[in-house]
Amino acid sequence: MSAFALDFAVPRQLEAVTDFTYDPEQQMNVLVGGGLAAENVAVLMSTAVTTSTAGSATHNDDD
């Protein structure tokens, strides 16, 4: 048995992943066209998730 809404759900079509580079002036990753890589769903879905270890030595709840 599936949820009623799943009968009508349409998979989201992602655009092709584009290249991005780091712009030291903006201190952000930018796309070739000048847009922010962090706002591009295709880029976000294709890159791995990272976590920060900052503060791990001082906060024992950082796992």
Side-chain angles (χ1 to χ4, degrees):
M1 185 168 168
S2 66
F4 175 77
L6 293 179
D7 293 335
F8 302 98
V10 178
R12 186 174 187 174
Q13 298 295 324
L14 297 176
E15 65 265 12
V17 176
T18 57
D19 292 330
F20 60 93
T21 58
Y22 180 75
D23 181 0
E25 186 174 302
Q26 295 183 25
Q27 297 183 356
M28 305 269 309
N29 288 324
V30 293
L31 301 171
V32 175
L36 298 178
E39 295 176 345
N40 187 296
V41 175
V43 170
L44 293 175
M45 295 296 288
S46 66
T47 55
V49 175
T50 61
T51 58
S52 172
T53 57
S56 294
T58 57
H59 299 284
N60 58 8
D61 59 342
D62 290 346
D63 294 328

